[in-house]
Amino acid sequence: MIVIKPGFITLLVTYIIALTLMVMPMPAAFDTFRPDWPTLVMLYWIIALPHRVNMGTALVLGVLSDILLGSIVGVHALGMVVVTYFAARHFQRIRNFALIQQALVIAVLIFIKRFVVFEANVFLHDAEFTFSYFWPVLTSAVFWLWVFPLLRKVRRQFGVV
């Protein structure tokens, strides 16, 4: 018999929503500013529940991101695992920061992820650098101010521990 821990379905639903927001059609003018939804959700759960969400979860979410975006499998997974390591290593510090300070830390972590993904793409197929590739760093930091309280409310309402 398979035993599902309390809150597993809630975690799964938040990941599915984040992956859906990642591939949801947007106007071309706004698409370059699309926040990195899967990484935002993963970072929240790493900071809130480091004993439940780990680098294995980040690897699976990264591979699913690669599949949905049609990129080489493992590129986003590598970036996700690198960022998850730093967040899991320092989750107690990040948790105690004010929301604005957390947004700055999240911006740095998203920048690291985007840089790792960019370097992997340069290594694999000579990607060209454009500054617009890093716009999601700023929008993700801004959306963190909205995502953090929302996911905290979801966590408390559904009793995810």
Side-chain angles (χ1 to χ4, degrees), residues 24-133:
M24 183 178 70
M26 289 180 73
F30 298 121
D31 197 40
T32 57
F33 299 103
R34 182 189 308 258
D36 196 345
W37 293 109
T39 308
L40 281 176
V41 171
M42 174 62 64
L43 287 173
Y44 173 79
W45 290 117
I46 285 288
I47 294 167
L49 303 170
H51 60 282
R52 294 267 318 255
V53 180
N54 54 27
M55 291 173 57
T57 310
L59 182 68
V60 170
L61 197 59
V63 168
L64 288 173
S65 297
D66 286 326
I67 291 169
L68 288 174
L69 291 174
S71 63
I72 296 172
V73 176
V75 171
H76 286 88
L78 174 66
M80 197 75 103
V81 167
V82 168
V83 167
T84 300
Y85 171 76
F86 288 118
R89 179 97 165 94
H90 302 288
F91 77 94
Q92 290 176 333
R93 283 188 189 138
I94 298 170
R95 192 186 282 177
N96 288 321
F97 288 157
L99 194 57
I100 298 294
Q101 291 172 321
Q102 284 182 3
L104 293 174
V105 170
I106 294 302
V108 169
L109 291 173
I110 299 283
F111 179 81
I112 291 170
K113 183 206 175 206
R114 303 281 295 181
F115 183 75
V116 167
V117 169
F118 175 74
E119 287 299 320
N121 284 329
V122 166
F123 179 74
L124 292 171
H125 51 75
D126 294 332
E128 294 282 328
F129 177 75
T130 60
F131 285 107
S132 64
Y133 182 74

